[in-house]
Amino acid sequence: MSTQLDNDNFRTLLDENDNFLFDCDGVLWHGNHLLPGAAESLALLKSKGKKVYYVTNNSTSTRAQYAAKCQKLGLPAEEKDIVCTAHSAALFLSDLLQSSANLNAESRPKIYLVGNPALERELTAVGITCTGVGPDPVMEGFLADSVILDTNIKAVVVGYDPHISYVKILKAASYLKDPNVPFIATNTDQSFPSLSRNITVPGTGCIVAPVQLASGREPIVIGKPETLMIDYLRKEYGLMPSRSVFTGDRMNTDMLLAHRCGMKGILVTTTGVNSVTDIELVSKSSNPADRGLVPEFYLDSMQIFFQLLARA
């Protein structure tokens, strides 16, 4: 059962938790527009001695770029506060490849990347060479059997790629014919939040799916609702999930992640993806799997969050 946050239960939530984790797009901002109450809430949480982390599935920016964006919007953030799939994928893949029997300490592994420049920068920063970023369209006279593959590819990584094409899907799936080549996906979100009710903005899941279908392989998913990014916070900063709250706008990523990790979940219901109506529908579901989607708490917006916090 989900409960609307009020003065009493918010005060208890604040007393019982040390770490406050926030999804970004749809909770703190829309595109480049800060949402009301977001900056004030996070600054006040920090002034009360709480740890604040920004956790996003979006792979189009590096940690440094996200920190700069937060600061430009007036959000209190340092690079160490950012947990994004581009950086997390790079750390995970670096560990995975360095533990492979095919590599030695001096080698610089090469991967095929269906992604973007920010994801490439994070991978390059941990010593991984990338190929595949940028346009690779179907040219006139294209023959699939004539595609030349790189024999040195050690992994395939798929993230957000505005240049996704048939050729890229073909190459990624072909590299994945080798069962020893890992298949990594930054996330499988269906869509990005949109300011227009008439527009659907396809997410990274729409790029991962054709590679998955063509290859017959299941990817290792880095982002929410998988737990790898929270595992990183536990290892790096000693985060205790039992003393943590995750605030997000998606039930099938943010709230499911919170429950898988043992955190409390707050769903913001008017500025992002899911609404109070969605909570009610899922709460009535007879499917046991849907129980993990229901947040402990919900509120309309970060503006309400700030008002409750100021009174706590």
Side-chain angles (χ1 to χ4, degrees):
M1 187 65 180
S2 191
T3 303
Q4 186 171 12
L5 277 170
D6 58 28
N7 291 328
D8 291 334
N9 54 31
F10 191 92
R11 190 174 295 110
T12 300
L13 198 67
L14 191 65
D15 290 342
E16 293 180 350
N17 293 279
D18 308 311
N19 310 291
F20 286 78
L21 293 75
F22 293 87
D23 177 48
C24 297
D25 207 351
V27 175
L28 303 178
W29 62 64
H30 270 311
N32 292 317
H33 301 285
L34 183 69
L35 290 171
E40 297 89 342
S41 294
L42 273 58
L44 188 51
L45 280 172
K46 286 201 165 191
S47 74
K48 291 178 178 290
K50 306 299 182 181
K51 297 287 187 181
V52 171
Y53 297 100
Y54 303 77
V55 185
T56 177
N57 272 1
N58 193 322
S59 67
T60 62
S61 296
T62 64
R63 282 207 307 171
Q65 288 172 324
Y66 272 119
K69 176 175 182 174
C70 287
Q71 291 160 13
K72 184 176 180 180
L73 290 174
L75 293 162
E78 300 176 45
E79 190 170 331
K80 64 181 179 60
D81 303 326
I82 308 296
V83 187
C84 63
T85 52
H87 179 253
S88 297
L91 293 180
F92 176 82
L93 187 57
S94 177
D95 288 344
L96 184 66
L97 292 179
Q98 291 302 329
S99 66
S100 168
N102 296 327
L103 298 176
N104 57 56
E106 290 75 33
S107 65
R108 187 178 177 91
K110 188 177 187 180
I111 68 156
Y112 184 68
L113 175 59
V114 180
N116 56 77
L119 184 50
E120 182 179 27
R121 281 195 290 274
E122 291 283 19
L123 288 160
T124 301
V126 296
I128 295 171
T129 299
C130 303
T131 184
V133 174
D136 193 0
V138 175
M139 306 299 288
E140 185 176 352
F142 170 79
L143 294 173
D145 289 337
S146 67
V147 170
I148 298 174
L149 298 176
D150 189 327
T151 59
N152 295 314
I153 296 300
K154 301 298 183 183
V156 170
V157 176
V158 180
Y160 177 74
D161 186 348
H163 300 293
I164 185 64
S165 67
Y166 184 83
V167 178
K168 290 192 174 192
I169 297 167
L170 183 155
K171 289 180 179 178
S174 298
Y175 289 128
L176 290 170
K177 288 176 71 70
D178 182 348
N180 295 314
V181 171
F183 177 17
I184 311 297
T186 59
N187 66 290
T188 55
D189 288 12
Q190 294 172 300
S191 62
F192 290 104
S194 173
L195 292 174
S196 172
R197 293 180 179 273
N198 300 319
I199 299 295
T200 295
V201 184
T204 301
C206 302
I207 299 169
V208 175
V211 176
Q212 183 176 347
L213 184 63
S215 68
R217 296 273 301 273
E218 291 290 327
I220 299 170
V221 181
I222 301 299
K224 303 171 291 183
E226 305 307 323
T227 64
L228 285 168
M229 294 198 292
I230 304 305
D231 293 340
Y232 163 77
L233 287 176
R234 294 173 69 172
K235 178 181 177 181
E236 194 72 14
Y237 301 113
L239 179 136
M240 294 177 58
S242 62
R243 300 277 302 176
S244 304
V245 179
F246 197 106
T247 300
D249 68 317
R250 280 182 190 267
M251 296 166 68
N252 66 354
T253 55
D254 301 323
M255 297 304 101
L256 186 54
L257 170 70
H259 295 148
R260 284 179 172 179
C261 295
M263 297 184 287
K264 279 74 80 178
I266 300 174
L267 187 74
V268 176
T269 60
T270 63
T271 59
V273 174
N274 289 127
S275 65
V276 173
T277 301
D278 296 321
I279 297 175
E280 293 170 349
L281 288 172
V282 173
S283 297
K284 296 174 183 176
S285 172
S286 59
N287 185 350
D290 287 341
R291 293 172 190 161
L293 305 179
V294 180
E296 282 82 6
F297 304 102
Y298 67 91
L299 44 65
D300 285 352
S301 65
M302 287 303 296
Q303 184 66 58
I304 302 298
F305 189 104
F306 174 64
Q307 291 170 6
L308 293 170
L309 180 59
R311 291 194 292 263

